[in-house]
Structures are given as C-alpha cells and as structure tokens.
Amino acid sequence: FFFLMIRRPPRSTQGVSSAASDVYKRQKQHKMGNDGGSIPERQDVVKHKKRERKIKMQLIDKARAKYCSLSKEHLKLPIVVCRLGNIYNKSAIVTALVEKKIPKCFSHIRSLKDVKEANICIRNAVTGQPMEIVCPITQVEFNGIQRFVFIWSCGCVISEKALQELKNPLSKK
C-alpha cells in the first residue's frame, strides 16, 4: 500500500486558534529563502549613478584649482581669493571691475577690498606650462582633490592637513 499525505490548509481561520493560523502563515512565508541567495536592493542595482556624479565633481574641483573662476583662463600670478573661496587672476578682476561687467554670481565682489592677494608657493614656474601651486609645508599639490585653506589675515594658502598639524594656524607676517 502506498499512502499519500496531502497537507490541507485550515478551512477557516475563524474556527482555528490564532496560534495555529500563525504557524500556517509562517510556513507559507518561508517557501522562499534560506537557500543562501539574496534579493538585490535598489542601491545594489544603481551604484554606477553615484560614481558618475562623483567623477563629475572631481573634474569640477580640478578645474577650479587650475582656472580663474571669472575668466576661465589658466591661473597666473598675481592670484586673488574672495571670501567664498573662489580663485581669480587679479588682472581679470581688475578689468571686470573697471568695465563694470561682473556676472551676477560674482556680485559679492564690488571692489578690490572684497578680494585678497594669495601668498602661494609654486613648484614649476616654466613658461608656457600652467603653474603648480603646492603647500609650502607638506609639498602637496593643489589639484582639487586635496583640500586647501586660505588664511584671510595673511593671505597664506596651505593644505588642510598642514593646518591641522600646526599648533598656531595663524602665520605671523
């Protein structure tokens, strides 16, 4: 003889105790899983979107470190910095102020008192090539990846790591 046992669900959940119906629901829920597989979430599927945005931000930061914010030309000495941290060629600022053609995004600059000349350290001052601004303490290149700090009181430009290592961050000049 061959017996076949078929498990039937309870006919109604009203007549069955709540513990028995909970057991039946748990058995029904555990049909999938416990096999070592995983269900991917949205962030696992769409990781490349964050990476593209990060790459774009790195390119923008590199461009901000090499080019004048106003004229979009390579940085040339003398260099000035505004209170918002934008870097400019001094000649571009002076011509824009004289001609009164400053864009709205730079409307916070009304005179040369709103910018300060930066005391920078240059590694390669070869004519025809863009200059490389470096930290005078750590020799880290100002390339948009490493964070740099402009000290308004003296005009010094140093890396953020050097500022953290110094006990007295304000230079005496």
Side-chain angles (χ1 to χ4, degrees):
F1 287 54
F2 181 76
F3 291 106
L4 181 63
M5 295 190 62
I6 300 173
R7 178 183 280 172
R8 293 185 187 162
R11 290 192 178 124
S12 69
T13 55
Q14 293 173 354
V16 180
S17 69
S18 62
S21 65
D22 288 343
V23 169
Y24 174 70
K25 287 178 186 176
R26 275 190 239 131
Q27 288 175 350
K28 196 172 184 180
Q29 288 175 352
H30 289 295
K31 284 185 179 179
M32 290 183 57
N34 291 334
D35 59 352
S38 64
I39 299 171
E41 295 178 2
R42 184 178 188 282
Q43 55 185 269
D44 296 333
V45 178
V46 193
K47 278 189 177 178
H48 63 280
K49 294 287 183 183
K50 291 180 184 178
R51 206 174 289 150
E52 288 175 6
R53 187 173 188 185
K54 186 175 181 181
I55 290 171
K56 287 180 184 178
M57 291 304 294
Q58 286 179 350
L59 291 174
I60 290 170
D61 290 342
K62 284 182 181 181
R64 286 186 65 203
K66 300 285 183 188
Y67 296 99
C68 172
S69 296
L70 183 63
S71 65
K72 307 294 186 236
E73 297 174 353
H74 280 287
L75 289 174
K76 296 177 255 178
L77 291 175
I79 295 174
V80 294
V81 180
C82 71
R83 290 219 182 244
L84 297 180
N86 295 324
I87 306 166
Y88 310 97
N89 289 329
K90 189 172 184 178
S91 60
I93 289 287
V94 170
T95 55
L97 287 172
V98 168
E99 295 174 359
K100 296 184 180 179
K101 292 185 178 179
I102 295 183
K104 284 188 176 184
C105 58
F106 302 116
S107 62
H108 60 280
I109 300 173
R110 296 186 189 103
S111 68
L112 284 177
K113 291 180 182 179
D114 296 328
V115 294
K116 181 99 174 183
E117 192 166 337
N119 299 325
I120 58 172
C121 183
I122 300 170
R123 184 180 296 162
N124 292 337
V126 179
T127 57
Q129 292 182 356
M131 61 183 178
E132 292 181 13
I133 301 171
V134 295
C135 174
I137 300 168
T138 60
Q139 296 298 313
V140 174
E141 183 183 354
F142 179 53
N143 55 9
I145 297 171
Q146 301 291 329
R147 297 186 76 168
F148 271 64
V149 178
F150 176 76
I151 302 172
W152 190 263
S153 61
C154 64
C156 297
V157 178
I158 59 174
S159 67
E160 192 175 52
K161 289 180 183 179
L163 183 69
Q164 290 173 356
E165 290 176 12
L166 292 175
K167 294 189 180 188
N168 185 7
L170 301 176
S171 66
K172 296 172 184 171
K173 195 168 186 181

